[in-house]
């Protein structure tokens, strides 16, 4: 197994950005942040704002994650200078569904550590949705620590939505304290 990051092609970027918007929208719906009818539009707008020049957007690096030269996933990394050196933020890292559960996620994160050392990146941050416990556990194993926790409370008098149940994660387990809302 040899994991490496190769610059994403324009063709792959077009496919990725379409899929990413739908997947990201779905994560926000699962987390109870957005309604289903607005989610994809909001996700596309955020993507356009974050990557206004596509693959050429300054400070953003989009890679195909490859195993033995075969594409198996993607990595979107933002690198920015700080007072103490370069920091990075992982906007997205994902493996194709058929590549999960093989230790390749861990290997990709280890390759990212090597990339960071080679490029003078002193800190890498990321966001993980509360219902994605598989990713959360991987990040903990790789040495990532929680730096903050965002919580929310919906007041019934103001909510134009109703609770429809707890969210289940990719392992079909309920995630405690995470609620999903939909329009009445």
């Amino acid at each position: 197994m040899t994991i490496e990051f190769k610059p994403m092609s324009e063709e792959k970027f077009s496919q990725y950005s379409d899929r990413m918007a739908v997947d990201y929208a779905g994560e926000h719906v699962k987390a109870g942040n957005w309604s289903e009818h607005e989610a994809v539009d909001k996700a596309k707008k955020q993507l356009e704002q974050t990557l206004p020049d596509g693959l050429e957007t300054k400070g953003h690096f989009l890679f195909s994650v490859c195993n033995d030269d075969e594409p198996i996933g993607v990595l979107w990394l933002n690198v920015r200078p700080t007072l103490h050196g370069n920091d990075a933020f992982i906007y997205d890292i994902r493996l194709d569904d058929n590549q999960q559960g093989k230790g390749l996620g861990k290997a990709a994160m280890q390759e990212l550590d090597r990339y960071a050392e080679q490029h003078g990146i002193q800190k890498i941050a990321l966001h993980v949705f509360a219902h994605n416990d598989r990713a959360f556990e991987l990040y903990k194993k790789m040495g990532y620590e929680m730096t903050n926790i965002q919580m929310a409370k919906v007041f019934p008098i103001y909510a134009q939505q109703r609770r429809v149940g707890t969210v289940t994660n990719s392992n079909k387990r309920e995630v405690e304290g995470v609620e999903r809302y939909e329009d009445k």
Side-chain angles (χ1 to χ4, degrees):
M1 168 180 8
T2 303
I3 299 294
E4 59 185 331
F5 304 141
K6 295 183 178 183
M8 189 178 287
S9 68
E10 284 289 343
E11 179 183 350
K12 179 72 174 173
F13 176 70
S14 178
Q15 296 167 357
Y16 166 72
S17 60
D18 290 342
R19 178 180 171 200
M20 189 273 191
V22 171
D23 290 351
Y24 185 61
E27 292 296 320
H28 274 285
V29 170
K30 285 180 192 175
N33 299 330
W34 298 341
S35 69
E36 287 185 33
H37 74 272
E38 70 179 342
V40 173
D41 288 339
K42 280 189 167 191
K44 286 181 179 180
K45 186 173 183 176
Q46 280 190 7
L47 183 60
E48 290 167 3
Q49 290 172 340
T50 307
L51 292 172
D53 298 319
L55 290 173
E56 301 302 317
T57 302
K58 184 177 180 180
H60 290 263
F61 303 91
L62 289 101
F63 299 101
S64 291
V65 177
C66 297
N67 179 25
D68 297 328
D69 288 326
E70 292 296 320
I72 61 165
V74 296
L75 168 64
W76 173 8
L77 191 66
N78 174 232
V79 179
R80 58 197 174 279
T82 67
L83 293 175
H84 308 288
N86 289 328
D87 285 358
F89 184 83
I90 301 170
Y91 272 89
D92 194 15
I93 185 165
R94 68 178 67 211
L95 298 182
D96 299 340
D97 291 342
N98 65 347
Q99 299 299 321
Q100 295 182 14
K102 300 177 181 180
L104 296 170
K106 180 179 178 182
M109 295 302 290
Q110 290 169 332
E111 180 60 24
L112 181 55
D113 289 351
R114 284 187 286 279
Y115 179 91
E117 288 177 24
Q118 293 169 355
H119 292 87
I121 297 170
Q122 297 178 353
K123 179 177 89 172
I124 300 175
L126 56 83
H127 170 269
V128 61
F129 285 98
H131 59 265
N132 191 347
D133 63 322
R134 184 179 199 174
F136 182 80
E137 292 302 321
L138 173 62
Y139 301 143
K140 280 186 4 185
K141 286 179 188 174
M142 298 305 300
Y144 288 77
E145 299 174 353
M146 284 189 279
T147 58
N148 57 22
I149 298 174
Q150 182 177 359
M151 299 173 72
K153 179 178 180 177
V154 176
F155 292 92
I157 194 167
Y158 297 109
Q160 294 181 356
Q161 302 172 327
R162 61 183 170 85
R163 183 170 183 252
V164 295
T166 55
V167 173
T168 54
N169 63 16
S170 60
N171 296 325
K172 306 297 184 224
R173 292 185 311 185
E174 289 188 352
V175 179
E176 186 177 324
V178 177
E179 298 176 339
R180 179 177 175 215
Y181 292 85
E182 68 180 24
D183 290 338
K184 286 185 177 179

